[in-house]
Structure formats: C-alpha cells, structure tokens
Amino acid sequence: MMGAGSVTTKVLSWSMVALIAVHTVIGIILTAKSVGVWKKTGAPYFKENLLFWTRRLSGFLIMILIFFHVTALSATNENGLRLPDFNGIKLALQLLLVASIALHVITNVKPVLISFGIKKLKPKAGDIIFWLTVLLLLAAAGFIVYYIRWVSV
C-alpha cells in the first residue's frame, strides 16, 4: 500500500508508519528508563512485572514482523512492483503478526482506558476487545484466503 495505489492509500500508509515509529521510540525510551531503575535498585521483580514485559516483548515482536509483512507482500523488478510468491512460511509469519498485535493491544486496553480517564472499564474494554477480535480474525482470514489463492494457482 505504501508504493502502489491511490494518493489516499499512500498518505494513510505513511501516516501509519510515522505513528508506529513514534510509538516505538516512546516504548524504547520508557523501557530503557524502567531497566535503568531496576539496575539501580537491584530489584527487577520479573514475575510481578510479567504484564509489563508481555507488552514490551509483543511490541518488539510486532516491529520485527512488520519487516516480514512488508517483504512478504511487495517486491520489485524491471517492470515495477509485483507480488512475490506467498508460501506457508510467509503465511505463518503473517498470522504470527496478527496474533502479536492481538496480544499487544489486548494487554494494553486497560491502561489506555485508564489514561483517558474512563472509569467504567469493563463495558468499554469488552467492546474494544470484541471488535478488535473481529477485525483481527478478518485479517487472519484474509491472509489465509490469499495463501489459498497462491497455492491453487
């Protein structure tokens, strides 16, 4: 979507890249500060901070998998952009990306709602998780259909 398609698609794609970059930089800074405090105090409390590390590691995994997402769905040759073969490994990586996004967002719903000052978390969190699940299942289904189309050709 970043190089092909309409102007609107390009603007949306590059805007998303910018937001992801800012989000990543903020995450790295906050993680570095946390690790610095833990080194200073000598008390990392890894088990107590398991949710924190789940959030950080799923975000890091997403950044790695975004690279595979871009490379799995775009290539160039002398004629311009083309679609490369989409094999089982690429499908597995795309489904892992969807799962990582799900884990990252679901573990962060409550803190985001709290930061927005929303007092009744359960109804809002339930709605967000439901619609996120629907969206991510559609994404996973899209990758599976795309893979089936490649295999059947």
Side-chain angles (χ1 to χ4, degrees), residues 73 83-87 144-153:
L73 299 173
L83 292 173
D85 288 338
F86 196 76
N87 57 29
I144 292 168
V145 168
Y146 187 69
Y147 172 74
I148 291 169
R149 296 288 305 235
W150 268 100
V151 173
S152 65
V153 172

Side-chain angles (χ1 to χ4, degrees), residues 5-12:
S6 68
V7 173
T8 306
T9 307
K10 290 178 189 177
V11 169
L12 288 173

Side-chain angles (χ1 to χ4, degrees), residues 10-11 20 26 28 47 54 57 76 95 100 113 120 142 151:
K10 290 178 189 177
V11 169
I20 289 171
I26 292 169
I28 290 170
K47 285 183 181 178
T54 300
L57 293 174
T76 58
L95 294 176
S100 299
L113 292 176
K120 295 183 179 183
V151 173

